[in-house]
Amino acid sequence: RPLKLKKGRVGKCSLEPKNKRSAKARLEYQQFRYLQDINSIRHFDANTEQWIELTQEDKQTLKQLFETSEKVTFPALRKALGLQRGTEINLDSGVKSLKGNITASKIRKVFPQWDSYSDQQQQALIEDLLSIKKKSALKRRLMRRWQLSGEQALRLCLLEFEPGHGSHSLKAIKNLLPHLEKGLIYSEAIKVSGYDEVKEIILQNKLAMPPELPNPIVNKGLHELRRVVNGLIATYGKPDIIRIEMARDLEMNTENYANFIRQQRINTKLNERATEAFRGVQTGISASKYPSRDQKIKYRLWLDQNHCCAYSGKSISLKALFSADIEIDHILPYSLSLDNSYINKVVCFAKENQLKGQKTPKSAFGSNEVKWNQITQAINKWPKQLENKKKRFYILTSELRKRDFIATQLNDTRYMSREAGQYLNTVCSDITFSKGVVTSWLRSQWKLNSLIGTSAKKDRDDHRHHAIDAAVTACIDRGLYQRLVATAKSLEESGSALNMYQMRIKSPLPDIRNKLAEKLANIIIAHTPLRKLTGAIHEETGVGFIEGIGNVYRRRLDPQFDLKAAAKIIDPVVKDRVIAHLGKYSGKAKDAFAPEVKLLHLDNKTLIKRVRIVQSKTTRERLEKNKFAIKDKAGKPFKWHAYGNIHHVEILRNKTTQKYRGEFITMQQATARARGILRAKVPIIQTDHGDQWEYLMALHINDLVELNHEQTTKIYRVQKLDRGTARIVLRLHTASTLNNSEESISGAIKVLCETYKMKSIKVNAIGRRLND
């Protein structure tokens, strides 16, 4: 079936003075915006119990009201239409008012002659107001060109217009505006203007490169989707139907919707208060009257925090709130949590934000008992609805790093699901969507969770749970999904004691559990091997070397510096003083090296801040082999860095002795081979290691291998390549976590090759073996 696409795009238009059309765009867009509202307005007649459309006379009345008002409240709307107080209007969904012609209304208040100007004159006047930035020059222009009085010119100079852009291009507005003026609603105007025309296009035989999106995670997801779908097309042909699971819940129930509307009203009022507060503290001719989104959030957070800094407890004045001295901070660092939600934000002094750094509050301030008590006492006074925000203060940075699923990942999945639907339209015209909650319910109904786990709950520790989800999603056609949604709504609306989990529904695929169990037993999880030349060539922190001692480095005396570390201090005098100092505090480094405690050298003047300690005992020969040297101008090494990531290991077998060995190739060596650094370019994987050695295989992280032991064959993926111990860590290809020791094997290359008969296997994007 042909794919239907919209004929054209409506685009956007700038309301800022960036081009010569900005003035016209501003006026036409504001009219375009309020006409959409006017044509959509309906009011409820309690006598007939029907929604009543506006007459042409009513629409003309409202046009005059919107044209002459910055905003139109719903009481004013009812009054203009002659409706009784409390009459329900369909657009009244919690927003306090609708926007009128803000630009014209501002000018009209200062310059009543505005309405006597032609359209061209109005556009030219606005263009001057937008584009001439210097107030003195603008005043001269208004007095000479427009013949305004000095007072009028000055008042016009001080006007500040609504910032932003329109949601449609100027061309689209031109096409749509005449139809809106006739009274058509927006969707009808779109059709009449030709934007809803369709054309047939030929479906592609496979997915082309995906569009470049601003979200790198979604970009990566679409590229992986392309690999999988094109692999399926190559094996089975083009799909007739594609079904996509959306990471969203079912529609809001009545209670949740009411809460949403209530919160929307609260937020609207708070934003209005923030705007008034912002304007109240602005001074000077060039002061802005429109607070930014961040400044509005600052105000709301400031109210939540009882006008105090979240970390110092000091009071924040309203004037200081909107200055650069106050910042919005993420409680859980954004770099670790990727959580940019309101619940993860606080306001604090910029200096406190710097002290906190990329740590959680507990990790940053928890070692200072006085300060931490002050913080916890302050947040305990916050409103009850901020309980989830308070809990974030007690999370350690180390705990945050261990989290494998964060809020933003869910948002990325939603975004990806939507983009995937549009992307897949190029190979299939029949695409349906279902929601994750339905998949979860059916998986439980058909008793599929226990296929890979030990309980009736979903086991996310096994990658095959995605295959189960895919099988269930494939069974959810339009009819089934609509019936489920309708049933859920009817149960809720009727107030029934039954719920969705008490319903029973048969699978459209007979004996689905046994058939799926058979497939799961033989499935191979396709992991993407890490073969790119990316990552650090060497580690950032370097160490020194002292002959007869080994590697040494400097370490700061902090609450983590314990007696074990003190025993490694090189300077014997400093070592004795540090150990004695720790002894005074019963070996508790947290107390001995608290910020307020000072430790001095023998002169009782100089602070001991950092000390040199031994990292490991080694020789220069071993050091030159295992670390990367940084040299001075004379070519003498003065610092050594450990090599960065291991790119791959080349496994060899001696043709005479049949012994195995591995050549671990660092990212630096692989880069030198590929780019010809200090040598001629050669292949990254070297298969020729001399006449005595037979090349067997090369393994990268995530490559798959097959192990045979005691008549059992299992497939593992390469989890880690350890150059220091010449070992390889393997984990079952189905394992999605790293904490189950029963799912992993760590061994020397000799053991893996001789005892387990390790063999490299290759699979395509859909898990089919390629080297059988």
Side-chain angles (χ1 to χ4, degrees), residues 96-123:
K96 195 173 182 180
S97 60
L98 301 174
K99 291 182 179 180
N101 192 331
I102 299 174
T103 302
S105 297
K106 283 179 176 290
I107 296 175
R108 191 179 287 108
K109 286 180 181 178
V110 177
F111 183 56
Q113 298 95 313
W114 166 260
D115 290 313
S116 64
Y117 279 14
S118 66
D119 290 344
Q120 291 76 14
Q121 287 176 314
Q122 289 179 350
Q123 291 167 20

Side-chain angles (χ1 to χ4, degrees), residues 5 27 51 121 142 148 155 191 337 374 376 386 402-403 424 454 512 515 534 572 602 605 611 687 742:
L5 293 177
L27 288 175
W51 288 96
Q121 287 176 314
L142 293 173
L148 302 186
R155 291 177 67 188
K191 290 180 181 178
S337 68
Q374 172 188 298
T376 54
L386 298 179
K402 293 177 183 178
R403 291 187 173 188
L424 291 170
T454 57
I512 185 174
K515 290 179 179 178
T534 58
L602 284 174
K605 294 180 181 178
V611 295
T687 58
E742 295 180 358

Side-chain angles (χ1 to χ4, degrees), residues 593-733:
F593 302 116
E596 62 274 10
V597 178
K598 309 298 181 185
L599 176 60
L600 304 177
H601 280 279
L602 284 174
D603 60 5
N604 289 323
K605 294 180 181 178
T606 311
L607 282 174
I608 303 177
K609 296 181 180 179
R610 296 194 304 165
V611 295
R612 282 201 306 173
I613 68 174
V614 179
Q615 184 191 59
S616 62
K617 294 181 180 180
T618 188
T619 63
R620 181 171 288 274
E621 290 75 15
R622 290 173 61 188
L623 188 63
E624 290 175 348
K625 182 179 179 181
N626 297 317
K627 292 187 183 291
F628 180 76
I630 304 296
K631 300 178 181 179
D632 58 20
K633 293 181 179 180
K636 182 180 178 181
F638 68 93
K639 188 164 58 172
W640 305 80
H641 289 261
Y643 284 110
N645 302 328
I646 301 298
H647 184 265
H648 69 274
V649 59
E650 295 164 4
I651 298 178
L652 316 171
R653 180 170 58 196
N654 190 287
K655 294 178 181 178
T656 304
T657 64
Q658 297 298 303
K659 289 185 177 181
Y660 296 89
R661 74 178 177 91
E663 288 288 334
F664 288 83
I665 307 303
T666 66
M667 194 65 69
Q668 187 267 347
Q669 290 172 300
T671 303
R673 288 179 179 181
R675 299 176 183 173
I677 301 173
L678 301 178
R679 59 182 296 170
K681 288 185 179 181
V682 295
I684 295 178
I685 296 176
Q686 185 176 333
T687 58
D688 185 3
H689 290 264
D691 297 336
Q692 292 296 316
W693 293 96
E694 176 189 3
Y695 168 82
L696 297 178
M697 69 186 92
L699 296 178
H700 305 74
I701 299 295
N702 281 348
D703 269 334
L704 296 179
V705 296
E706 187 177 74
L707 301 186
N708 292 281
H709 186 58
E710 296 179 353
Q711 298 182 341
T712 301
T713 301
K714 290 185 179 181
I715 296 175
Y716 292 80
R717 71 173 179 89
V718 177
Q719 178 189 332
K720 182 180 179 181
L721 299 173
D722 193 335
R723 186 170 185 257
T725 61
R727 296 170 73 87
I728 301 176
V729 179
L730 304 174
R731 188 163 291 277
L732 279 176
H733 69 112

Side-chain angles (χ1 to χ4, degrees), residues 156-198:
L156 277 179
C157 285
L158 298 179
L159 284 181
E160 184 178 5
F161 296 110
E162 180 188 22
H165 61 263
S167 59
H168 292 64
S169 68
L170 187 56
K171 180 180 178 181
I173 291 174
K174 272 184 160 182
N175 292 332
L176 295 169
L177 198 53
H179 303 295
L180 292 175
E181 288 175 337
K182 292 178 182 178
L184 296 182
I185 61 174
Y186 175 74
S187 59
E188 293 172 345
I190 283 284
K191 290 180 181 178
V192 174
S193 302
Y195 285 103
D196 201 42
E197 290 184 13
V198 297

Side-chain angles (χ1 to χ4, degrees), residues 6 29 31 40 66 81 93 235 253 260 556 581 602 726:
K6 287 188 177 180
Y29 177 70
Q31 186 182 12
S40 301
F66 276 81
L81 294 173
S93 61
T235 305
N253 59 29
F260 171 77
R556 184 174 294 277
H581 179 71
L602 284 174

Side-chain angles (χ1 to χ4, degrees), residues 411-586:
N411 292 330
D412 290 335
T413 305
R414 291 168 177 154
Y415 182 12
M416 198 181 305
S417 300
R418 186 171 64 252
E419 292 295 334
Q422 297 178 8
Y423 181 40
L424 291 170
N425 258 330
T426 59
V427 294
C428 179
S429 58
D430 190 356
I431 297 179
T432 62
F433 295 85
S434 60
K435 296 184 179 179
V437 67
V438 177
T439 307
S440 173
W441 178 68
L442 290 176
R443 199 176 55 239
S444 177
Q445 278 275 310
W446 300 337
K447 303 187 186 312
L448 302 181
N449 289 332
S450 59
L451 287 175
I452 58 173
T454 57
S455 69
K457 293 184 178 180
K458 182 175 180 177
D459 185 357
R460 295 183 183 273
D461 294 343
D462 190 318
H463 281 302
R464 292 176 296 174
H465 77 266
H466 296 296
I468 298 176
D469 285 346
V472 174
T473 302
C475 293
I476 305 173
D477 59 15
R478 288 185 178 90
L480 175 61
Y481 181 70
Q482 289 172 359
R483 289 197 301 273
L484 290 173
V485 173
T487 303
K489 284 185 176 180
S490 65
L491 287 175
E492 180 189 357
E493 291 172 359
S494 65
S496 172
L498 296 174
N499 58 53
M500 291 293 289
Y501 286 90
Q502 293 172 305
M503 292 175 57
R504 292 293 177 264
I505 185 168
K506 290 183 179 181
S507 165
L509 182 64
D511 199 22
I512 185 174
R513 194 175 190 282
N514 291 333
K515 290 179 179 178
L516 193 52
E518 182 181 344
K519 293 293 183 183
L520 292 174
N522 300 313
I523 199 171
I524 299 177
I525 306 301
H527 295 266
T528 304
L530 304 182
R531 294 173 182 165
K532 291 184 179 180
L533 295 174
T534 58
I537 292 178
H538 59 76
E539 293 182 2
E540 293 183 6
T541 306
V543 296
F545 175 75
I546 299 177
E547 196 69 52
I549 295 179
N551 293 335
V552 299
Y553 69 101
R554 293 188 180 276
R555 182 171 168 182
R556 184 174 294 277
L557 297 179
D558 57 25
Q560 284 73 46
F561 195 95
D562 54 16
L563 282 169
K564 187 177 179 180
K568 297 179 180 179
I569 297 175
I570 297 172
D571 188 317
V573 176
V574 174
K575 178 199 271 188
D576 291 342
R577 291 189 71 81
V578 172
I579 291 175
H581 179 71
L582 280 166
K584 293 179 182 178
Y585 292 88
S586 303

Side-chain angles (χ1 to χ4, degrees), residues 392-410:
R392 293 167 182 252
F393 276 72
Y394 297 91
I395 297 174
L396 294 171
T397 306
S398 56
E399 294 173 354
L400 187 60
R401 293 181 190 276
K402 293 177 183 178
R403 291 187 173 188
D404 59 354
F405 197 84
I406 50 181
T408 301
Q409 286 178 301
L410 184 58

